[in-house]
Amino acid sequence: MYGAMKVFIGGSLKLVFRPWVEGLENIPAEGPAILASNHLSFSDSFFLPAVLDRKVTFIAKAEYFTTPGLKGRLTAAFFKGVGQLPVDRSGARGAGEAAIRSGIEVVERGELFGIYPEGTRSPDGRLYRGKPGGLARVALATGAPVIPVAMIDTEKIQPPGKVVPKLMRPGIRIGRPLDFSRYRDMENDRFVLRAVTDEVIYEIMKLSGQEYVDIYATAAKRQIADAVKAEKAEQQAQKAAGQA
């Protein structure tokens, strides 16, 4: 199914959007590797596999695979077809541990595992602090090389609130593999996890040219949501005062 979906979806994306790519030679022809990318758009998980000859497996929330009804079955088939792995976010530690276990399994099969160190999409196109969990722990547990990847302009194709995508050429820059074998089996050392994550984020920043923000993207999203809520409350208060 992956092959058929890659031809259909990947071929369509390349035909319509004509993404440009730099650094394809840094993807190994065989053997395991971890592709660590910035995350600007939902489409990142489709554009990257579209330009590669090898299968890339990303993580997706389990709800995409368990929704009942015809729509749910079609959604599950779609995500399985494009190489997404379901992760159950329930439990004490949620998606983190499940993602790590799934990532290790993918890498130990000699395949390519795709992950977003920021943990979520950037709310404003900037690069945020990497979370020292999934990426570093999978890399240190397996010894697989980490390949930094920069998605360019994918967030401009379909901004929030826009239904019809904008026809433009996104870009993908693939960096040289990073070797963290010197830290092998140190995945429980939080200082090592932070050092590995920061090094990867720094390489992504150099490839993408993004402005770096030293907070987590999840925190930035909360700040934006709080600001929007405060603005709405102020507008309502002003409106109420004007009617008094």
Side-chain angles (χ1 to χ4, degrees):
M1 182 181 289
Y2 182 87
M5 295 293 279
K6 179 176 175 60
V7 170
F8 177 71
I9 298 177
S12 299
L13 288 175
K14 289 193 289 185
L15 178 64
V16 174
F17 294 98
R18 300 182 300 115
W20 55 266
V21 190
E22 296 177 359
L24 274 176
E25 68 278 3
N26 293 318
I27 302 294
E30 58 183 19
I34 301 167
L35 305 186
S37 173
N38 60 341
H39 198 12
L40 299 173
S41 168
F42 176 78
S43 63
D44 294 336
S45 298
F46 304 121
F47 275 112
L48 181 56
V51 302
L52 302 181
D53 292 332
R54 298 183 59 187
K55 177 181 177 180
V56 185
T57 299
F58 285 91
I59 294 297
K61 59 184 180 180
E63 289 88 334
Y64 287 145
F65 300 81
T66 58
T67 303
L70 177 60
K71 182 178 179 181
R73 291 195 295 272
L74 291 175
T75 300
F78 172 79
F79 278 96
K80 290 177 182 177
V82 295
Q84 305 276 330
L85 271 180
V87 170
D88 185 356
R89 298 185 300 176
S90 62
R93 302 193 62 177
E97 291 298 324
I100 291 167
R101 291 194 301 271
S102 298
I104 290 174
E105 291 173 1
V106 171
V107 172
E108 288 182 341
R109 291 199 300 265
E111 301 174 5
L112 299 180
F113 175 60
I115 190 169
Y116 301 111
E118 293 167 278
T120 187
R121 278 178 279 175
S122 170
D124 54 15
R126 296 185 293 177
L127 183 68
Y128 285 83
R129 194 181 196 204
K131 292 193 171 183
L135 164 66
R137 287 180 60 186
V138 173
L140 300 185
T142 62
V146 178
I147 302 175
V149 177
M151 308 301 295
I152 312 289
D153 291 336
T154 53
E155 82 282 10
K156 297 177 182 178
I157 292 176
Q158 193 171 14
K162 297 293 184 180
V163 177
V164 180
K166 180 180 180 181
L167 293 181
M168 59 176 293
R169 295 188 70 190
I172 302 172
R173 288 197 183 99
I174 303 170
R176 295 181 178 179
L178 303 174
D179 179 13
F180 295 109
S181 59
R182 61 191 182 279
Y183 298 130
R184 185 71 184 268
D185 296 326
M186 298 177 67
E187 63 268 24
N188 293 319
D189 187 319
R190 62 189 181 93
F191 296 106
V192 171
L193 295 179
R194 171 49 61 194
V196 169
T197 305
D198 287 347
E199 183 174 338
V200 174
I201 288 289
Y202 178 71
E203 293 299 323
I204 293 174
M205 182 185 69
K206 291 197 299 182
L207 290 169
S208 68
Q210 290 171 277
E211 176 186 348
Y212 175 72
V213 186
D214 196 25
I215 62 173
Y216 294 124
T218 48
K221 288 183 175 181
R222 285 195 299 269
Q223 292 176 0
I224 293 172
D226 290 343
V228 170
K229 186 183 299 183
E231 183 178 357
K232 288 183 177 179
E234 183 178 355
Q235 291 174 349
Q236 291 174 351
Q238 292 176 350
K239 183 178 179 180
Q243 294 174 347

